[in-house]
Amino acid sequence: MVLYKVRVSTGTNLGSETKDWVSVTLVGTKGSSPQTWFDNWGPDFYVGADSEYEIQCTQDLGDILLIQITKKTMLLIQDSWYCNFIQVTSPQGEIYNFPVYQWIEGTVEVREGKGITAPEDTLSDHRKKELEERQKSYRWKEYEPEMPHCLDVNSTHDLETNSQFSFLKRALFYSRATVMAVEQRLKGYSTSKESWESLEDIKKVFGFNRHEMIEYIIEHWKEDAFFGYQFLNGLNPNLIRKCAKIPPNFPVTQDMVARSLGHGTTLTEELKKGTIYIADYRILDGISGGWINKVQQYITAPICLLHITPQKELIPLAIQLSQTPGPETPIFLPCDSEWDWILAKTWVRNSHFHVHQAVAHLLRTHLLAEVFALATFRHLPTCHPLYKLLIPHMRYTFNINTLAREDLISKDGIFDKAIGLGRQGLIELCQRGMEVLTYSFLCLPEDLEDRDVCSLPNYYYRDDGLEIWAAIESFVSNIVDFYYLKDESVQEDYELQGWIKDIFTEGFLSQESSGIPSSFDTALELKKFLTMVIFTVSAQHAAVNNGQYRNGAWMPNFPSSMRKPPPRSKGMTHLEDYLDTLPAINTTCSIIGTGYVLSAPPGDAVALGNYPNEYFTEKEPQQFIQDFQDRLNKISKKIVKRNCSLPIGYQNMYPPEVENSVSI
């Protein structure tokens, strides 16, 4: 008899255990073992169990290629079991690792852990069968025309077990939402459709979670320097660009800005020096506002001109609240009356809110993350090295996006009731964003060059983002070089080519103008795309998500709707008019509460570069992971040191707070 030792690890999360029977069959190059049911003395597969068993065979099985795991239900109630990994030791002492990391229901086959591409694999039929089964479960569907396609499910209940939130994450998510809703209802805010009586009253909404950033914003939100700072380090820091020439539809003159620029210079000179920047919201032009509390909401498409001062502060010079200049479209200036200027800046912040939510956050991170995840499940089997690379960056993405389609962006959902665009406007803005979305825009170094913002001072999003991009790029390059020894290996990997083709077709709707590749010819092309994917679903998502509550809790700084049209003349705005323009009390509560739930720590987050599930079993990729983690640690220390010297630190891309995936 030949004896194989088998080590079985059960998950540590609540509910991972099972009381059912579990068997394992070994499949090797020289034959298969008998199906062996595991049963030690006492409980076997409890939470965190790490148990050892034996399998007896009549002959040596050769190299172990895969294992078959079967769970036989003992009770009438389905009792899923989460298995971390299984390790097999042969009679000769050879160790075979099988990364399972999934819920087991019925029978599952798991390949040995070494990454292998299709052209090199002798078990091509097994790969094909695995993908055929996956493609039945993970299907594409059109959510709305001219938007990236998504997973074909109607609710989170339809998701595969392995795609659902953990018990802890689900409990925290819904408990926070409940606590927030109960507190607001007890205060009487969630049902009031009235205007706020004073700015001071708004502070009472977010008593459930105060933060130093919120306190800073309350104190500084009216200041021009902080208004400019948010283009660099607030939510959606990818909109501002250098202005080489004043647009013809924005007739700003030297006389208008002379006071702000100061003596000894002119607008023309500052344009030549490269100190003038612009934020243009033309993507909003012509979109109609929705209705909230049966009241029409208003949308505008402002243009804002900004200047880098000798003190290296970015300050606004002029704001026009429309794309069409004229007598009823005044250009607002810092020298105007206090509330005229504050209202003009608030309109810009409102427009920034809409572009952030629809384009920067929903489209660019959430919807694309789902595209990358769905293509991965459909085209890369578990033994594929790029599946092993990408799967940690797909964690919970299907669940959070399905939940968003159910509750956030659905008809009569939270956004339909709490943002000025309404659902239809949100969809239209997403569609417009899709028309102009390019590969270069998704690649941070190219985007920064295109917007000509590489020399902007105090642009911490750029500084942190470039370092993280470079760290991801180095990690990805090591992985690609290890598994693809030449460009021909990339070209011949038909699973990989199917993956990128699916992304191009279903995600980017075959738009060649996007610049997204539909195939890969070189390893260099593959490295760039994989870097973009991981950066998008981790660091970029963190940049536009993590500060939602901190930046928006003080509602006047980031209002979700405006209840009056933009002013057509100057000198007509007072505090009462301003309060009547801002969102009503119940709208404020709804959007602040949503921001709190969506950006609060999820409880079971996995930070960028951490891979508790060891899909890679070879020592070389494991060393690449360690190198990646070491580099991220250095970046983290650098950010901590920098933030200590700032009035308010930039935390959104601090690696320990950047999740591996879009999971919230």
Side-chain angles (χ1 to χ4, degrees):
M1 299 295 290
V2 179
L3 190 67
Y4 289 84
K5 295 180 180 180
V6 181
R7 177 185 169 201
V8 181
S9 173
T10 296
T12 57
N13 288 332
L14 187 64
S16 297
E17 77 283 353
T18 183
K19 295 182 176 62
D20 291 347
W21 293 99
V22 173
S23 73
V24 167
T25 302
L26 309 179
V27 179
T29 53
K30 296 181 180 179
S32 300
S33 74
Q35 182 180 21
T36 303
W37 296 94
F38 292 158
D39 185 17
N40 287 338
W41 178 260
D44 284 282
F45 309 107
Y46 54 87
V47 173
D50 195 329
S51 307
E52 294 185 355
Y53 303 90
E54 294 180 347
I55 293 180
Q56 292 186 345
C57 304
T58 56
Q59 64 177 28
D60 184 87
L61 302 179
D63 288 330
I64 308 302
L65 302 176
L66 63 85
I67 57 174
Q68 295 173 339
I69 309 169
T70 298
K71 187 178 71 66
K72 184 178 180 182
T73 302
M74 297 176 60
L75 305 173
L76 295 177
I77 302 174
Q78 179 69 352
D79 180 22
S80 299
W81 171 51
Y82 190 89
C83 179
N84 282 335
F85 64 85
I86 291 178
Q87 186 180 83
V88 177
T89 303
S90 73
Q92 296 79 25
E94 186 76 22
I95 295 176
Y96 300 90
N97 294 294
F98 296 87
V100 183
Y101 302 112
Q102 60 180 296
W103 293 97
I104 305 296
E105 298 168 354
T107 298
V108 173
E109 292 186 343
V110 179
R111 292 287 300 270
E112 205 278 328
K114 294 183 179 66
I116 186 169
T117 59
E120 302 172 324
D121 197 356
T122 57
L123 297 181
S124 56
D125 288 344
H126 184 272
R127 301 175 78 101
K128 183 179 179 181
K129 179 182 176 183
E130 180 185 358
L131 291 179
E132 285 174 350
E133 290 301 314
R134 286 244 211 95
Q135 289 170 9
K136 293 176 184 177
S137 300
Y138 295 90
R139 302 178 305 275
W140 294 102
K141 77 170 181 180
E142 180 184 81
Y143 176 63
E144 289 287 349
E146 301 172 43
M147 286 178 62
H149 296 168
C150 64
L151 179 64
D152 186 11
V153 295
N154 295 318
S155 76
T156 53
H157 301 294
D158 299 332
L159 292 170
E160 294 286 312
T161 306
N162 289 298
S163 296
Q164 294 179 13
F165 284 167
S166 67
F167 176 84
L168 174 61
K169 184 176 180 69
R170 186 164 54 246
L172 280 173
F173 187 87
Y174 288 108
S175 65
R176 283 173 176 149
T178 302
V179 169
M180 174 270 299
V182 168
E183 179 175 348
Q184 291 183 359
R185 182 168 290 276
L186 288 174
K187 290 180 177 180
Y189 291 152
S190 59
T191 57
S192 175
K193 301 177 183 179
E194 303 300 319
S195 299
W196 291 97
E197 293 186 4
S198 69
L199 291 172
E200 191 70 20
D201 286 345
I202 301 174
K203 297 179 184 178
K204 302 173 184 177
V205 178
F206 45 89
F208 49 82
N209 188 8
R210 299 297 282 264
H211 188 278
E212 62 177 352
M213 183 67 177
I214 299 171
E215 303 295 344
Y216 185 90
I217 291 175
I218 291 174
E219 184 177 349
H220 297 278
W221 72 283
K222 293 181 182 179
E223 298 171 8
D224 287 352
F226 182 68
F227 175 83
Y229 170 89
Q230 293 185 92
F231 284 103
L232 307 179
N233 304 306
L235 299 172
N236 189 13
N238 302 89
L239 191 140
I240 190 170
R241 60 177 55 243
K242 185 172 285 185
C243 180
K245 182 180 179 181
I246 303 299
N249 65 331
F250 190 22
V252 177
T253 66
Q254 167 62 23
D255 289 342
M256 291 179 182
V257 299
R259 183 173 173 181
S260 294
L261 291 177
H263 299 294
T265 190
T266 65
L267 180 58
T268 300
E269 290 175 2
E270 294 301 311
L271 285 166
K272 290 179 180 178
K273 287 161 59 178
T275 64
I276 303 299
Y277 293 82
I278 194 166
D280 192 339
Y281 297 86
R282 60 181 176 272
I283 195 171
L284 289 165
D285 193 30
I287 295 181
S288 300
W291 293 74
I292 300 176
N293 297 329
K294 299 182 179 180
V295 175
Q296 173 73 57
Q297 308 297 301
Y298 295 90
I299 307 294
T300 192
I303 310 173
C304 179
L305 200 68
L306 302 110
H307 174 234
I308 291 291
T309 70
Q311 295 75 35
K312 297 185 178 181
E313 291 183 330
L314 182 67
I315 62 167
L317 294 176
I319 294 171
Q320 179 178 285
L321 298 180
S322 170
Q323 293 289 308
T324 306
E328 294 187 340
T329 309
I331 295 177
F332 291 92
L333 307 168
C335 57
D336 291 336
S337 69
E338 179 186 18
W339 289 106
D340 272 359
W341 183 234
I342 290 175
L343 180 60
K345 289 191 293 182
T346 303
W347 270 107
V348 173
R349 295 296 298 156
N350 169 252
S351 298
H352 203 83
F353 176 94
H354 294 314
V355 176
H356 163 258
Q357 291 293 359
V359 180
H361 191 191
L362 177 61
L363 173 61
R364 180 179 175 179
T365 62
H366 277 264
L367 300 188
L368 292 188
E370 186 169 2
V371 167
F372 303 144
L374 191 46
T376 298
F377 275 85
R378 288 175 57 82
H379 291 278
L380 303 180
T382 52
C383 61
H384 197 291
L386 298 188
Y387 177 91
K388 296 172 180 291
L389 172 69
L390 292 173
I391 193 62
H393 301 283
M394 314 299 178
R395 183 173 181 252
Y396 297 150
T397 296
F398 292 134
N399 197 311
I400 192 62
N401 280 11
T402 303
L403 195 62
R405 286 188 285 270
E406 282 185 273
D407 298 333
L408 279 181
I409 62 174
S410 59
K411 182 176 174 55
D412 297 323
I414 293 173
F415 277 19
D416 206 16
K417 297 176 179 178
I419 70 170
L421 284 170
R423 181 182 184 275
Q424 192 54 47
L426 182 78
I427 297 301
E428 184 177 350
L429 185 52
C430 269
Q431 292 167 336
R432 292 186 180 190
M434 191 66 189
E435 290 176 3
V436 298
L437 185 63
T438 65
Y439 190 17
S440 292
F441 178 64
L442 298 173
C443 296
L444 181 63
E446 294 178 25
D447 175 54
L448 294 170
E449 289 286 346
D450 179 65
R451 292 187 288 119
D452 200 1
V453 292
C454 294
S455 62
L456 257 173
N458 306 319
Y459 197 2
Y460 308 123
Y461 160 80
R462 174 201 61 209
D463 300 341
D464 298 350
L466 284 175
E467 292 218 40
I468 293 174
W469 178 279
I472 295 172
E473 185 177 46
S474 176
F475 171 51
V476 163
S477 296
N478 286 334
I479 293 291
V480 171
D481 287 340
F482 182 72
Y483 289 103
Y484 295 92
L485 300 181
K486 53 187 178 179
D487 289 340
E488 287 77 11
S489 301
V490 173
Q491 298 164 12
E492 294 167 2
D493 187 348
Y494 54 85
E495 291 170 343
L496 171 63
Q497 300 295 344
W499 178 76
I500 188 60
K501 181 67 174 179
D502 222 15
I503 289 172
F504 175 73
T505 304
E506 302 289 347
F508 292 85
L509 310 182
S510 301
Q511 292 179 183
E512 293 185 1
S513 60
S514 69
I516 293 292
S518 58
S519 63
F520 294 123
D521 291 324
T522 68
L524 191 63
E525 293 172 355
L526 175 58
K527 292 172 186 177
K528 177 182 175 182
F529 195 84
L530 291 171
T531 301
M532 180 275 292
V533 168
I534 295 176
F535 182 85
T536 295
V537 304
S538 59
Q540 184 61 33
H541 179 253
V544 299
N545 177 78
N546 291 3
Q548 285 191 100
Y549 176 68
R550 297 193 294 264
N551 288 72
W554 179 245
M555 177 269 290
N557 183 60
F558 209 44
S560 65
S561 67
M562 301 291 264
R563 294 180 294 156
K564 284 188 173 184
R568 296 182 177 181
S569 60
K570 296 186 179 183
M572 306 297 291
T573 304
H574 304 284
L575 176 58
E576 184 178 350
D577 304 301
Y578 183 76
L579 292 170
D580 286 342
T581 302
L582 292 176
I585 292 173
N586 64 340
T587 305
T588 302
C589 292
S590 178
I591 206 68
I592 290 177
T594 301
Y596 168 63
V597 172
L598 295 181
S599 56
D604 65 346
V606 178
L608 178 62
N610 287 272
Y611 301 102
N613 295 352
E614 296 183 4
Y615 290 99
F616 287 110
T617 60
E618 304 102 305
K619 66 179 186 342
E620 292 88 350
Q622 291 177 345
Q623 183 59 52
F624 300 153
I625 290 172
Q626 184 61 57
D627 295 342
F628 184 34
Q629 292 171 344
D630 292 344
R631 190 160 178 175
L632 289 172
N633 286 335
K634 291 179 181 178
I635 295 171
S636 299
K637 292 176 181 178
K638 188 174 180 180
I639 291 174
V640 169
K641 183 177 180 180
R642 178 201 66 206
N643 284 349
C644 287
S645 65
L646 299 175
I648 189 72
Y650 180 66
Q651 198 80 4
N652 289 354
M653 299 182 84
Y654 177 54
E657 296 180 9
V658 172
E659 276 202 77
N660 262 334
S661 62
V662 175
S663 70
I664 193 65

